[in-house]
Amino acid sequence: MQQSPFRHAIRWDIVRHFAPTALPFAGLGVWALSCMNPAYLSLLLGLFLMGNLPLLFRKPASCCTVATVPVAKLHMLGAAAGFISGFTGAVGLVFNGFYYRLGLRKEEIIATRAANEILLHLLKIILYAIFGLLSTQATVAGLAVAMAAILSSMGMKYLLPYLHDRLFHHIGHAAMVIAGIMMVIIAGEQIAQQENITVHFAHADEEVAASLSWQEHTFALEWENGGEL
């Protein structure tokens, strides 16, 4: 049986510094999820991902594997990725830029990210169950996503050799932007429902009125007589 080429592309020098800090901070993120509303953090992460839009029009830097890995940065990356991943559920795309800046080949990016996130997700599944956050609906959705990921990885094994590094980077940046837009939309809807946020707009003759309601407060602007505020 032919072994997957991704297994040999894993950068274990990155994984062994990433995982030890990511795993405990993932536990901290799951605990924070049980106490706080993750919608606001999801909104901020979505806006951060949308900030990758200019990179779609920028020429990627030439790819060359680094000789040494910045260990301190890997520990900080692991801590940030672990906490945010535990708090929001998934955060892999947020740190794509870091893998790009390391100069990893596309096979190494996919394999190393997969190794890091498998460890994170296994721990999070256990912690979500312990904290009572793993509902039947979430379990079914997780299994569906897992099956889709397995099928995707099987297809990428044959497709990846035909992707130029520049195209691979553009696809990665496009995925970050799309994911950011979706996160902003979903988080915005959740916040609007939770905080009872509504927007009203009315136009009649020479009068225009707009109002924003947030919980028990209302902010309103009116234009009268074609220009009087």
Side-chain angles (χ1 to χ4, degrees), residues 6-38:
F6 296 126
R7 183 180 305 174
H8 302 287
I10 298 175
R11 287 288 298 272
W12 293 108
D13 56 331
I14 295 176
V15 175
R16 71 168 177 261
H17 293 297
F18 176 96
T21 50
L23 295 179
F25 274 87
L28 182 62
V30 173
W31 172 80
L33 176 62
S34 67
C35 304
M36 297 183 292
N37 181 3

Side-chain angles (χ1 to χ4, degrees), residues 51-112:
N52 287 278
L53 181 60
L55 297 179
L56 289 174
F57 309 100
R58 184 183 303 173
K59 182 179 179 181
S62 57
C63 179
C64 54
T65 304
V66 295
T68 58
V69 177
V71 176
K73 289 185 178 180
L74 282 178
H75 286 304
M76 290 189 292
L77 173 72
F83 178 79
I84 299 175
S85 180
F87 193 65
T88 62
V91 74
L93 287 175
V94 175
F95 296 97
N96 258 9
F98 180 85
Y99 289 103
Y100 292 153
R101 286 191 293 272
L102 278 179
L104 274 62
R105 294 180 293 109
K106 54 182 181 288
E107 294 84 2
E108 291 176 329
I109 292 175
I110 293 175
T112 306

